[in-house]
Amino acid sequence: MEPLLGFEDAAAATDGEEISSSSSSNGYKLVPWLSWDEWEDVRKSLFSTSPDKIAFALNRISTWRSRGCLPVVIDVTASIIEIQQKDPFFRGEGQKDDLYSEQMLAMLYCMAILRLVNCVVEKTRKQREISIADAAEAIGIPRILIDVRHEGSHRDLPALVVVRDSSIMALNWLKSYYWEPQRKQIPFQKDETSNIRREIKSKVRELAFCLKVNQSPELRSLLGKEKRSRHHAHHCGRNKIFSFMAGKVHSSKLGGNIIYSYYLFLPV
């Protein structure tokens, strides 16, 4: 199953999007949105009934595509909804679009479904010996989507009414597979993002200080003196401790056990 964004690659959607070449070694992955608030705005707009909000979401996802590393589940979701927006059946009466024939719409739907099955299922096939149908069944993809993919790839193009209904099933599955689980993880993602930002700010401050030291001989000299001073104080302190312990040992008349106990608590 496609791991959720920001989580480990090996996890499934219930275990947690793809962390492929865009992943870093620490388990995080690059995403094209600026924040989880932006992602949530797109999700709400994408599944709204307002054409203007849907257009906003599709435009934003188009921007995400240009940045790269767009999760395939988001890409396919946007493609299906964009096709539906060109389909008079979903747009309503009085908004017919003569630019797209039924044949063209059926082909567009079929291509989007084919990409959904191929791209998502291939990421979940741990064993190449199992069929795509079996792998799809394991993650709950409706059987009709597998049939549409097979018919469109190897036989005649399925009828528009079939692929239209299949597009609705595909969106419902995508919601349950990716969009809803990811939405529920957003509070955790925000906390993690805040921690990462704090760590980045800390590292930037350290880097800026190091650059300032390297560019300032006076500051570098002052820091060197301070470091030597701390080392000298530490060395003197250790000598005092050892002298104190030695005096205690020599003045003791209680035997060897006390010697061992003193040495036990000497600072390293």
Side-chain angles (χ1 to χ4, degrees), residues 73-123:
V73 283
I74 296 179
D75 197 7
V76 173
T77 302
S79 296
I80 293 175
I81 291 178
E82 186 172 6
I83 296 167
Q84 288 181 346
Q85 292 299 295
K86 303 178 186 301
D87 188 347
F89 179 84
F90 292 102
R91 296 180 63 185
E93 296 296 329
Q95 299 188 35
K96 297 195 179 292
D97 192 342
D98 296 330
L99 293 177
Y100 295 93
S101 63
E102 289 192 359
Q103 178 79 3
M104 180 62 70
L105 286 173
M107 187 175 297
L108 291 173
Y109 279 126
C110 191
M111 180 59 68
I113 292 170
L114 185 149
R115 186 160 184 264
L116 166 62
V117 174
N118 285 353
C119 293
V120 175
V121 171
E122 283 298 330
K123 292 179 180 297

Side-chain angles (χ1 to χ4, degrees), residues 110 114 144-156 158:
C110 191
L114 185 149
I144 189 173
L145 301 185
I146 309 302
D147 294 339
V148 167
R149 177 243 177 213
H150 181 78
E151 292 292 320
S153 300
H154 305 291
R155 299 181 182 178
D156 294 336

Side-chain angles (χ1 to χ4, degrees), residues 33 36 43 121 123 125 148 188 226 268:
W33 46 90
W36 286 108
R43 184 194 69 82
V121 171
K123 292 179 180 297
R125 291 175 70 191
V148 167
F188 303 102
E226 182 180 351
V268 176

